[in-house]
Amino acid sequence: MSILTWTYIMVGITFTLYLSIAWLSRVKTTKGFYVAGGGVSPLANGMATAADWMSAASFISMAGLISFMGYTGSIYLLGWTGGYVLLALLLAPYLRKFGKFTVPDFVGDRYYSDVARFVALVCAIFVSFTYVAGQMRGVGIVFSRFLEVDVNTGVLIGMALVFFYSSLGGMKGITYTQVAQYLVLIFAYLVPAFAISYQITGTFLPQLGFGSTINEGVNAGKYLLDVLNQLNTDLGFAEYTKPFGAGSKSMLDVFCITMALMVGTAGLPHVIIRFYTVPSVRGARVSAGYALLFIAILYTTAPAIASFARYNMINTISGKEYTKAPDWFKNWEKTGLIAWLDKNQNGIIEYFPKDPFTGSKPTFSGEKGSYGQELVTNPPTDNPNELFIDRDIMVLANPEIANLPPWVIALVAAGGLAAALSTASGLLLVISSSISHDLYYRLINRNASESQRLLVGRVMIGIAVCIAGYFGINPPGFVAQVVAFAFGLAASSFFPIIVLGIFYKRANREGAICGMIAGISFTAYYIISNKFFGGSTWFLGISAEGIGTVGMVINFLVTLLVSQMTSPPPAEVQEMVENIRFPRGAGASIDH
């Protein structure tokens, strides 16, 4: 059977599974809708948390970034892993004991202020929309290649699916769908990794394979990473394993990006809310441990996949005649995610550093060139590079590059969809609950009935899906870069006030409000001016992806300073802070 047929089968089976689970898990109460009734087992919550956290960026883009950036690309690996440990050990048990539905709930009650609740609500929505746009784009990319539909059509299909199972089952439906999605995505990630590792190095375990020697060909007997260093330098790139310096990011920028990803993970509302779904504080701790184990399986495999993809990609296309290019190259060229601009008219694909043409993505004329290539209308740059490859395709294209069977390629497509949809659904629920619970019920209509609140929640999911789909069709960057923005914004808004809210009883509402506004305003301004208006990285050369670290420091300083200059919190609030610092007790997720 062809790749297309296998993909329809795999995607059809997994989508049917997700929809069936959503139907069986449909809810009629707000507690079921927001926190799955608070009765999810730690093992199931660990799988759901892992699926929630391992987004399209983790599944599709992370290995692609490492493949193109080499050692520097590991900032995403280190930042996201460290962030989860930070969340599991520092915040999760305390937030669980607080026992409310949402992060704005925590902020509003801890800082005894509806204004603080509203500011947190705006931050939650802003962060979630930024993050979910990357997921919808990932869905579109998978559909465009493997089901041979336009990227935008793929985004629309993903929107319809995620709306159905998110609105029907709320957190309960999302949780059990995410359990199934975790199993699909981890199986899909590991199968090709094992096969390619054995193919290149003769070692099944990819975590060992990418540090081993190549078992055949002109590089037989040489260590894979040494060969990659040589291939990179021969083409004019920095060494694959070089950490800093020329051709790579500065040490300060690498530190800031890693820190922003780390504290941003700890402040992401869709991950935090998962700890409200288990029945106890102990359950929160145990599920955090399970999630870390499940996440580690994929994250320790990603650097190996990146190395295999880089090695295979350079060997199969760099310096080759276009007419003899492998099928995978021409298949992806049809999606617009690969483009070749024959600058010197010699018919050979020449791959070097820098962009081959102006603009962030190719624009095709619809006509064919003399070698049968899709003609690009972008003006060429004055460097010798002729090849454009979207980094987001590396994991998806890897099985094709390695000539694995069609069913493996289709399995990876199903895994990529599972990763993107699982995170998107969690984020949409955060947006929905922030508006229906924190805005509508807590601030506008305290007498709203269960049915009214559920209706508002489901309508909000529909509106959120439409907005997320728009940004998925018109993304401001690569999937992982879009997600990196979300982490930066989360770092500069939620993380400081959650930490101070738990560990510093003198932090008050005036400080929290000023801190959040200052942190997120600075970070958003820097990112937007840099990415959308071509502004420079004027603050110590720190990139937009790392500026959330500076925003976090600003938030901390402003919150501490303003809290010291204004009245302390009421005695009952300070007593509550003392109480939640002892992470014991049931702490049921309650309506209030």
Side-chain angles (χ1 to χ4, degrees):
M1 285 191 286
S2 67
I3 294 174
L4 183 63
T5 305
W6 272 112
T7 305
Y8 272 109
I9 292 172
M10 293 284 187
V11 172
I13 291 173
T14 53
F15 277 22
T16 302
L17 177 64
Y18 305 153
L19 294 174
S20 300
I21 292 173
W23 179 257
L24 294 172
S25 305
R26 59 191 185 279
V27 296
K28 296 181 180 178
T29 66
T30 52
K31 188 173 181 180
F33 192 80
Y34 294 137
V35 293
V40 178
S41 73
L43 178 61
N45 196 49
M47 285 188 178
T49 304
D52 212 346
W53 191 63
M54 291 191 293
S55 61
S58 296
F59 189 98
I60 297 174
S61 294
M62 186 170 62
L65 284 167
I66 297 173
S67 186
F68 278 78
M69 297 169 68
Y71 182 94
T72 305
S74 63
I75 51 180
Y76 295 94
L77 193 73
L78 297 172
W80 289 336
T81 306
Y84 188 79
V85 174
L86 190 66
L87 173 63
L89 299 181
L90 183 65
L91 301 178
Y94 305 104
L95 290 171
R96 179 63 190 82
K97 188 170 185 184
F98 202 72
K100 301 297 171 62
F101 280 166
T102 65
V103 174
D105 244 0
F106 170 82
V107 174
D109 286 9
R110 163 60 182 85
Y111 293 102
Y112 49 99
S113 166
D114 284 341
V115 175
R117 186 191 309 277
F118 182 75
V119 174
L121 183 154
V122 172
C123 291
I125 293 172
F126 191 54
V127 168
S128 299
F129 269 127
T130 309
Y131 198 37
V132 78
Q135 312 311 310
M136 300 313 295
R137 181 68 177 173
V139 171
I141 289 173
V142 175
F143 270 108
S144 68
R145 165 61 191 95
F146 295 107
L147 295 180
E148 299 186 2
V149 298
D150 181 70
V151 171
N152 298 344
T153 305
V155 172
L156 295 174
I157 295 172
M159 288 167 59
L161 179 72
V162 80
F163 170 73
F164 178 83
Y165 73 74
S166 299
S167 60
L168 199 64
M171 179 57 90
K172 186 177 178 184
I174 288 171
T175 296
Y176 293 110
T177 305
Q178 285 174 336
V179 171
Q181 286 167 335
Y182 174 77
L183 296 173
V184 171
L185 75 87
I186 200 65
F187 188 66
Y189 206 79
L190 293 180
V191 167
F194 278 94
I196 298 172
S197 179
Y198 184 75
Q199 190 182 72
I200 295 177
T201 68
T203 304
F204 270 114
L205 202 59
Q207 290 87 345
L208 297 178
F210 88 114
S212 304
T213 56
I214 296 170
N215 63 358
E216 62 181 24
V218 295
N219 295 309
K222 297 178 182 177
Y223 283 99
L224 174 63
L225 294 178
D226 288 342
V227 172
L228 279 176
N229 282 338
Q230 189 63 54
L231 288 173
N232 265 19
T233 53
D234 287 349
L235 293 173
F237 295 93
E239 283 189 357
Y240 189 77
T241 56
K242 183 180 179 180
F244 312 112
S248 301
K249 290 181 176 294
S250 68
M251 185 182 295
L252 177 62
D253 199 21
V254 168
F255 172 81
C256 287
I257 295 173
T258 305
M259 179 62 75
L261 294 170
M262 188 178 293
V263 298
T265 300
L268 279 176
H270 75 293
V271 177
I272 291 173
I273 200 172
R274 290 235 53 90
F275 295 102
Y276 296 136
T277 65
V278 292
S280 66
V281 173
R282 184 178 181 279
R285 285 185 182 278
V286 173
S287 67
Y290 277 129
L292 189 59
L293 172 65
F294 297 139
I295 291 166
I297 295 172
L298 187 144
Y299 269 55
T300 56
T301 309
I305 287 183
S307 303
F308 302 148
R310 182 80 178 168
Y311 178 77
N312 277 334
M313 184 197 77
I314 292 176
N315 280 332
T316 53
I317 59 172
S318 179
K320 309 292 183 186
E321 293 179 31
Y322 177 83
T323 53
K324 297 179 181 178
D327 290 342
W328 72 265
F329 185 91
K330 295 176 182 177
N331 288 337
W332 281 97
E333 190 182 25
K334 295 174 187 172
T335 68
L337 299 173
I338 282 183
W340 174 56
L341 183 60
D342 191 15
K343 291 180 178 176
N344 53 14
Q345 302 295 311
N346 65 355
I348 295 175
I349 303 168
E350 299 191 22
Y351 178 48
F352 297 104
K354 299 184 179 177
D355 296 329
F357 42 69
T358 59
S360 59
K361 60 183 180 180
T363 303
F364 296 97
S365 66
E367 299 176 354
K368 300 282 187 181
S370 55
Y371 300 99
Q373 78 274 24
E374 300 287 340
L375 288 180
V376 176
T377 60
N378 305 54
T381 50
D382 58 2
N383 64 70
N385 183 34
E386 298 179 339
L387 184 62
F388 167 84
I389 297 183
D390 191 319
R391 301 174 186 183
D392 290 339
I393 72 169
M394 292 312 296
V395 167
L396 301 173
N398 206 20
E400 289 180 273
I401 299 173
N403 283 320
L404 296 184
W407 70 267
V408 178
I409 298 168
L411 182 63
V412 173
L417 288 171
L421 293 172
S422 61
T423 304
S425 58
L427 288 162
L428 290 170
L429 189 74
V430 167
I431 296 169
S432 166
S433 58
S434 294
I435 295 175
S436 62
H437 180 72
D438 297 304
L439 180 63
Y440 175 69
Y441 177 61
R442 296 302 305 273
L443 298 178
I444 297 176
N445 184 8
R446 289 289 292 175
N447 297 318
S449 65
E450 285 272 312
S451 59
Q452 286 176 316
R453 293 164 62 192
L454 279 173
L455 177 62
V456 172
R458 285 169 171 148
V459 170
M460 285 302 108
I461 284 181
I463 295 173
V465 163
C466 293
I467 297 174
Y470 172 80
F471 285 113
I473 291 170
N474 302 283
F478 295 116
V479 171
Q481 287 176 324
V482 173
V483 172
F485 292 164
F487 281 87
L489 297 175
S492 62
S493 57
F494 286 128
F495 184 74
I497 59 166
I498 290 174
V499 171
L500 292 175
I502 294 171
F503 296 102
Y504 183 54
K505 64 182 180 182
R506 183 64 175 77
N508 64 15
R509 66 182 171 195
E510 291 82 3
I513 294 169
C514 293
M516 280 193 291
I517 292 174
I520 202 166
S521 297
F522 170 80
T523 305
Y525 168 76
Y526 195 91
I527 292 173
I528 292 170
S529 63
N530 180 258
K531 290 294 181 183
F532 292 87
F533 297 100
S536 64
T537 52
W538 54 269
F539 192 83
L540 301 175
I542 298 171
S543 63
E545 289 79 6
I547 202 64
T549 300
V550 181
M552 174 194 69
V553 174
I554 291 173
N555 188 336
F556 266 119
L557 292 176
V558 170
T559 303
L560 289 170
L561 183 63
V562 174
S563 294
Q564 287 296 326
M565 294 172 64
T566 50
S567 302
E572 63 269 21
V573 172
Q574 296 192 47
E575 185 179 345
M576 176 179 67
V577 174
E578 292 279 358
N579 184 45
I580 64 173
R581 282 218 296 271
F582 295 94
R584 297 186 297 269
S589 298
I590 55 172
D591 196 356
H592 53 96

